[in-house]
Amino acid sequence: MTFLFRLDADARTIARQFGAYSGNDPWAGGHVAPGAFAPVITEGREF
């Protein structure tokens, strides 16, 4: 069974809430589903 989620906050709002850097993340909010893009917050990693 596949579950769909909705995340209405944009990338900048999410980053600000967690004290993270959003960079040029284009996430504007919307449905989160398998195989789709969505914001991911990591700690202690540099890419």
Side-chain angles (χ1 to χ4, degrees):
M1 177 179 274
T2 301
F3 293 98
L4 299 177
F5 298 92
R6 183 161 180 90
L7 180 59
D8 291 326
D10 63 20
R12 287 184 184 157
T13 301
I14 296 166
R16 186 171 44 247
Q17 179 68 32
F18 288 94
Y21 173 66
S22 65
N24 293 324
D25 192 327
W27 178 261
H31 294 285
V32 178
F37 290 101
V40 175
I41 299 170
T42 62
E43 182 178 0
R45 290 186 162 184
E46 296 294 325
F47 294 97

